[in-house]
Amino acid sequence: MPPAQDQKAADFRALHGGEAFVIPNPWDAGSARVLAALGFKALASTSSGFAFTLGREDGDATLEEVIEHARALDRATSLPVSVDLENGHGPRPEDAALAITRAAEAGAVGGSIEDYDREGRIYELDHAVERVAAACEAAKRLTFPFTLTARAENHIRGNPNLDDTIARLAAYEGAGADVLYAPGLRSGDEIRAVCEATAKPVNVLAHAGLSVGEIVDAGGRRISVGGGLTWVAVGAMVAAAKQIRDDGDLSSLAAPDPFDELLGG
């Protein structure tokens, strides 16, 4: 019997109090099962990866579609699932709160709220804090410890101002966020500056220029890959398809791993 939601929630919260860990980002139920079979302890959705499965760009999925995706990920494995809820699919604090409640109803035990609006603006700090506070209040009303991640989007939205990012994360911490996240930090020094200025666990978005060890040494507690694994998989598919199209070479279709065993895990 798979663990109940409250047990998944407790397990997920406990992960943040132990050694630093990697939380990979599946884009569908199959990739979730593969990652679970490989031994990861928790999963997080990726808005860009999920949008790709719909044939859309990042940000173009509706809340209803995201919630159904969260439900599919939760059912695919026995692992805790955290959901990328983007901005809560609306600018109001009530929108962020509703997104948390809906994600929990779908089986998730964690979720993230960001301070960027799909209309192309980063929210003013006071408004952003109100939204995080509302999301935290919604999480507290649940019957289990939902782990709320607050995201400062500066570094991937054209405003790589580290001081402002740190100020935002500190304010989100004060509003009750359990985990802090500034995607787009590029160096150990930037990660260290964020971690030293805040007390809550910091999630770091991985990239090829940093190793897990470097992120951990800088103070990162949780490491996600965002859409990275999605694009690795898509890149491999494109390379194989071009080889077939251009050279008539089918050798790339030889599966290198026992995927039936992974899906059975």
Side-chain angles (χ1 to χ4, degrees), residues 62-252:
T62 67
L63 177 60
E64 292 300 326
E65 289 168 332
V66 169
I67 295 306
E68 188 55 38
H69 176 56
R71 185 173 288 109
L73 293 182
D74 176 63
R75 291 174 176 172
T77 82
S78 61
L79 296 182
V81 172
S82 183
V83 184
D84 182 348
L85 293 166
E86 302 175 68
N87 72 331
H89 295 266
R92 303 175 304 158
E94 295 88 346
D95 296 322
L98 177 61
I100 297 299
T101 302
R102 294 292 309 281
E105 290 172 349
V109 297
S112 62
I113 295 292
E114 61 190 48
D115 57 7
Y116 176 77
D117 193 289
R118 293 302 166 185
E119 294 183 358
R121 63 189 175 111
I122 295 174
Y123 295 119
E124 295 294 332
L125 180 57
D126 288 347
H127 182 50
V129 170
E130 289 178 4
R131 300 176 76 260
V132 171
C136 291
E137 286 302 315
K140 290 177 182 177
R141 288 193 292 268
L142 299 171
T143 60
F144 59 87
F146 188 97
T147 299
L148 191 285
T149 299
R151 292 176 48 151
E153 299 289 288
N154 276 338
H155 288 258
I156 59 172
R157 305 298 180 186
N159 183 40
N161 183 327
L162 186 60
D163 289 340
D164 184 62
T165 294
I166 289 173
R168 285 174 174 271
L169 292 177
Y172 303 159
E173 179 178 353
D178 302 300
V179 178
L180 307 173
Y181 182 17
L185 300 178
R186 304 304 297 174
S187 69
D189 287 342
E190 288 183 337
I191 297 166
R192 186 172 293 105
V194 169
C195 293
E196 290 179 349
T198 55
K200 293 294 179 67
V202 172
N203 183 94
V204 176
L205 178 62
H207 65 83
L210 283 174
S211 69
V212 168
E214 288 171 325
I215 293 172
V216 174
D217 287 345
R221 303 294 303 147
R222 192 175 84 186
I223 303 163
S224 59
V225 301
L229 287 176
T230 309
W231 311 128
V232 168
V234 172
M237 180 190 71
V238 169
K242 286 182 175 179
Q243 194 172 9
I244 294 169
R245 181 195 67 187
D246 298 339
D247 305 324
D249 184 351
L250 303 177
S251 62
S252 60

